[in-house]
């Protein structure tokens, strides 16, 4: 029999306890021995809860109990969680976590501690919730060179954008609803600003390359400025706005961005709606792959934690968790990142001023097609060619010198020019090239 | 250094050699030692090919070479392949295969042989090509009870149905095109008749339950009778026709079917087009998951084989491949299987005869809505309620007694009444309930 402990009885921690009670038979069979929940550490009381008998408040009871071989960390944060996890790994106890902040920030150090004491530090639940992605990347696609990841890694923001797209809700209304339904926390700024997605992307790149990536080195934009009008323009080019994490991995570095982007046509990420997540992988032998499922929530996350506990139980005296080292992966300057964008331009009101502004945009950007929303006379949009961000910046600056132009309302990256686009030919909307101004 | 051999230098075998040459650096690093291709067994000559120097024609050279620790079987069939693989496993050599027929038929016996000699028998490439699904099911979703699988497991038939749906091609035209493009073999009857899908489904159920399932016990229908009209009716209920493998797993048995089905609305399998595969899993803790990618083809399949070779290299003296035993899983009688179907009915020509036939159908099936293709006066279709297949059979028999009805043109199962349907609300088409006859 193996004794385990859970640190932190919040949403995820209580989900893990529930998973162990619900599936105990299956779990014991697959672990090859019985797994028993000996302690739950939390400063709060939970009278009447199923774990009441095993609740403790003192971390040292776990640290000093030689019978406890595996500990689940579902406290969150990088303060006490880091101290506790370090101490446990030093004592040779394996740790399983769902804490992406801890993994993104201290992963390399914690893997080293685990290796030193013959324990394991597993973190499958920190990316993609219940979707198995970390282990497949590490143990299934081993014959492949992975060259690209693009994904929807945050259920909260995807729910908000889906509601805005499908039900015409404004950002604030969609956010309130997400909070009411429990899909967003009261302070959801880490989700909205893209920081949660950014940490997950940093973890995925590190799993693939074996090198450390600082989340703070990844160019990150949130969805807080996305409006219904952005979504309407996206629809005119047969796309949806999604918060996309993207990494292009080269031999010695990585291009990495987190930003709202327009995902067009039959791209596989276009069907990832609501709280679901999708992670698309380009591998040089196996081709395009996507992992899809519930990327967050109590039980899906608990499912991934439970699988990692079983993996630890099957490898009690065998370190299998050396995912990356302290060596830093080079993150390229975003200015050299090549992409296409939809640019929304605010111009002086009136048909003539707008026509002059459009003429200027076409002159600089060589764009044949321009989009105008039917009720607006003071803005238009167009799609740029693929070019480096800094070239785009220069051309935008030139555009802003035009007296009929007030400013740039938004710049949205366009995702999906690869072969995956042709997955659904029938969805491609044809827009006449002869008509310069398309009122939508 | 580990020496390996490949048996069979056809499409997949040559892909495996290519993968090893292309990614040798990565593969050696991940295997923890150098992997060297010592022999390629094939009765044919391949002058000028990269494996010319290592080509042999005698199987015993591999069997008797103590340096060869891992052998790739890409010959196909269950004759010589079975004899060779058995002999190799008995000698303690690990075997990796992409041969789904071999695994579906002899898997349990081969796992037992491998266990007996401390070798491994791995087969990840036999289901889903390059999509990692066998290993995730076996090592990632270990904390879960898996209750349902539904999937598109055959790229050839999915390509044909996608061409029929998106480009209005007839079945024969789409099949010829698939053959011309190399997506279908000259004799593609195993694909078209659903046998290939059926074997893959049997393997997946066995991986999940740990028990043997005879492919011949699974109710299997092919796509050979699907017409453009079936696809048009499917579109009227906002669906697409796909060849679906489905298993509902209970405590002691399984419902399993392979058949063309109408996949409706925002169901995740609806975006799986062309040669792509998708495998949807329902897990009681982790929720709905989908694995998506290239399910066949030279390189994707080679990618999965290569990953299994690396897994064998990392577990040279440790049996990790006991997937299922010879104990048989009970497969329930298809007659008790509950489903909804779209029924296409041929009736006597003319408005009055059709109205009488429709009246009869509505009387028996209590269906409010009936669909008629605009140019047809001698057929209609309707959707049944969910009921056991045998009840449906009885009601159909009753319907056929009506003098205005000639026969049943097709019966297509409808997939997707689960929660995944709501993934994309906006795609749901509303059809007026007050109108009895909907001309489409």
């Amino acid at each position: 029999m193996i004794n385990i402990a859970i640190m932190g009885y919040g949403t995820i921690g209580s989900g893990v306890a529930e998973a162990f009670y619900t599936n105990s038979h299956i779990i014991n069979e697959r672990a090859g021995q019985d797994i028993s929940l000996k302690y739950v550490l939390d400063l709060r009381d939970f009278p009447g809860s199923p774990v009441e008998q095993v609740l403790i408040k003192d971390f040292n009871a776990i640290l000093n109990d030689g019978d406890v071989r595996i500990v689940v960390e579902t406290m969150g944060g990088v303060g006490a969680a880091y101290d506790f996890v370090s101490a446990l790994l030093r004592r040779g106890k394996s740790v399983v976590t769902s804490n992406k902040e801890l993994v993104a920030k201290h992963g390399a150090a914690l893997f080293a501690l685990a290796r030193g004491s013959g324990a394991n530090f597993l973190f499958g639940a920190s990316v993609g919730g219940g979707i198995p992605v970390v282990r497949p990347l590490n143990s299934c696609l081993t014959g492949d060179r992975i060259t690209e990841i693009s994904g929807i890694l945050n259920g909260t923001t995807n729910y908000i954008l889906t509601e805005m797209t499908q039900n015409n809700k404004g950002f604030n209304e969609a956010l309130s609803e997400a909070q009411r339904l429990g899909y967003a926390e009261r302070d959801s700024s880490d989700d909205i600003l893209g920081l949660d997605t950014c940490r997950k992307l940093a973890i995925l790149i590190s799993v693939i390359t074996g090198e450390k990536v600082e989340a703070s080195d990844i160019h990150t934009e949130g969805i807080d400025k996305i409006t219904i009008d952005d979504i309407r323009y996206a629809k005119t080019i047969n796309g949806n706005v999604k918060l996309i994490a993207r990494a292009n991995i080269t031999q010695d570095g990585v291009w990495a961005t987190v930003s709202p982007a327009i995902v067009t046509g039959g791209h596989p990420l276009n069907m990832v709606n609501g709280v679901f997540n999708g992670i698309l992988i380009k591998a040089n032998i196996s081709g395009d792959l996507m992992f899809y499922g519930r990327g967050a929530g109590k039980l899906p996350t608990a499912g991934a934690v439970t699988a990692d506990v079983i993996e630890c139980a099957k490898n009690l005296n065998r370190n299998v968790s050396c995912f990356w080292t302290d060596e830093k992966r080079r993150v390229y300057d975003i200015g050299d990142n090549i992409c296409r964008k939809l640019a929304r331009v605010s111009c002086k009101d009136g048909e003539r001023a707008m026509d002059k502004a459009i003429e200027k945009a076409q002159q600089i950007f060589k764009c044949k097609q321009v989009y105008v929303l039917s009720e607006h006379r003071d803005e238009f949009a167009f799609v740029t060619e693929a070019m480096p961000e800094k070239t785009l910046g220069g051309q935008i600056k030139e555009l802003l010198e035009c007296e009929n132009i007030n400013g740039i309302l938004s710049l949205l990256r366009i995702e999906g020019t690869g072969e995956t686009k042709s997955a659904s030919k029938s969805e491609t909307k044809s827009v006449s090239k002869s008509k310069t101004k398309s009122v939508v």
Side-chain angles (χ1 to χ4, degrees), chain A:
Chain A
M1 192 177 75
I2 298 182
N3 285 296
I4 68 167
I6 297 174
M7 306 194 297
Y9 195 67
T11 306
I12 310 301
S14 62
V16 175
E18 187 180 329
F20 272 94
Y21 292 132
T22 307
N23 284 358
S24 64
H25 181 69
I26 279 188
I27 290 170
N28 293 340
E29 193 184 304
R30 291 181 185 161
Q33 54 194 311
D34 286 3
I35 293 183
S36 172
L37 180 55
K38 189 163 183 182
Y39 302 114
V40 171
L41 177 72
D42 205 296
L43 296 180
R44 297 164 291 180
D45 292 312
F46 297 93
S49 91
V51 300
E52 200 180 358
Q53 299 302 318
V54 295
L55 260 178
I56 54 165
K57 295 190 197 315
D58 178 16
F59 166 68
N60 288 308
I62 297 172
L63 184 68
N64 296 324
D65 187 333
D67 283 350
V68 174
R69 302 293 305 274
I70 304 165
V71 179
V72 172
E73 185 276 301
T74 44
M75 303 158 57
V78 290
Y82 177 64
D83 295 338
F84 290 1
V85 170
S86 308
L88 291 164
L89 290 172
R90 277 199 190 91
R91 288 278 178 102
K93 297 184 197 297
S94 289
V95 176
V96 171
T97 188
S98 63
N99 182 341
K100 63 220 91 173
E101 206 180 343
L102 180 69
V103 180
K105 197 157 180 180
H106 299 296
L110 296 171
F111 299 133
L113 280 183
R115 197 170 55 250
S117 69
N120 285 295
F121 177 59
L122 296 178
F123 57 93
S126 67
V127 184
I131 311 171
V133 60
V134 169
R135 190 116 24 97
L137 278 177
N138 196 57
S139 74
C140 298
L141 295 165
T142 44
D144 275 279
R145 185 181 296 282
I146 291 164
T147 54
E148 267 184 62
I149 328 169
S150 53
I152 294 168
L153 303 179
N154 180 279
T156 305
T157 45
N158 203 44
Y159 177 83
I160 292 171
L161 292 172
T162 303
E163 283 299 303
M164 290 174 76
T165 302
Q166 295 186 351
N167 300 322
N168 250 340
K169 288 183 181 146
F171 175 82
N172 288 324
E173 189 190 351
L175 171 60
S176 302
E177 192 180 273
Q179 284 167 330
R180 192 171 51 75
L181 293 168
Y183 298 156
E185 293 172 65
R186 198 158 303 188
D187 177 8
S188 53
S189 52
D190 275 12
D191 297 316
I192 302 298
L193 298 176
L195 301 178
D196 175 82
T197 298
C198 169
R199 286 176 199 131
K200 290 170 176 167
L201 180 62
I203 292 172
L204 287 176
I205 299 169
S206 292
V207 168
I208 291 169
T209 62
E211 293 177 349
K212 185 178 179 170
V213 174
E214 298 284 355
S216 56
D217 287 347
I218 297 176
H219 174 87
T220 301
E221 299 169 45
I223 64 160
D224 49 312
K225 293 185 190 72
I226 298 297
T227 65
I228 286 284
D229 280 349
D230 290 323
I231 287 167
R232 287 173 66 195
Y233 279 113
K235 283 180 183 170
T236 69
I237 59 167
N238 192 27
N240 293 305
V241 177
K242 303 276 187 191
L243 181 63
I244 299 291
R246 162 169 280 282
N248 291 49
I249 299 164
T250 66
Q251 290 280 11
D252 58 353
V254 62
W255 303 98
T257 51
V258 172
S259 72
I262 299 173
V263 182
T264 56
H267 193 294
L269 291 178
N270 231 343
M271 56 73 69
V272 179
N273 288 314
V275 295
F276 280 82
N277 282 198
I279 302 157
L280 193 64
I281 305 279
K282 242 186 223 308
N284 77 331
I285 301 290
S286 295
D288 289 358
L289 300 164
M290 187 170 77
F291 301 88
Y292 166 92
R294 294 188 175 272
K298 178 176 171 169
L299 286 182
T301 309
V305 168
T306 308
D308 276 348
V309 169
I310 294 172
E311 184 76 4
C312 286
K314 289 162 77 178
N315 292 284
L316 270 187
N317 299 302
R318 189 192 198 210
N319 175 263
V320 294
S321 68
C322 183
F323 288 88
W324 63 87
T325 64
D326 218 22
E327 193 166 332
K328 266 181 82 168
R329 186 85 183 168
R330 182 178 166 199
V331 179
Y332 295 118
D333 188 293
I334 186 72
D336 297 319
N337 190 39
I338 292 172
C339 60
R340 283 162 71 220
K341 290 197 175 180
L342 180 125
R344 275 181 63 200
V345 182
S346 161
C347 60
K348 292 220 162 63
D349 207 354
E351 191 92 22
R352 246 196 90 170
M354 184 194 255
D355 282 349
K356 289 211 159 184
I358 287 174
E359 203 176 295
K360 186 73 182 174
Q362 292 189 305
Q363 191 188 319
I364 297 171
F365 285 92
K366 319 269 180 268
C367 52
K368 287 203 180 96
Q369 187 67 45
V370 169
Y371 306 95
V372 180
L373 294 180
S374 53
E375 75 279 15
H376 286 301
R377 281 279 160 277
D378 57 356
E379 68 162 277
F380 63 93
F382 61 90
V383 173
T384 73
E385 288 177 20
M387 62 177 92
E389 295 260 4
K390 64 184 176 201
T391 311
L392 178 64
Q395 294 195 0
I396 290 284
K397 207 171 155 196
E398 196 181 335
L399 182 67
L400 290 174
E401 282 163 14
C402 168
E403 59 168 349
N404 292 302
I405 287 173
N406 298 327
I408 300 298
L409 293 165
S410 66
L411 277 168
L412 285 172
R413 195 161 57 74
I414 294 171
E415 181 73 23
T417 43
E419 61 178 316
T420 46
K421 199 180 171 182
S422 65
S424 170
K425 282 182 214 164
S426 68
E427 286 177 40
T428 311
K429 190 181 166 182
S430 95
V431 180
S432 162
K433 290 266 175 184
S434 61
K435 210 175 132 197
T436 301
K437 214 161 75 181
S438 171
V439 178
V440 291

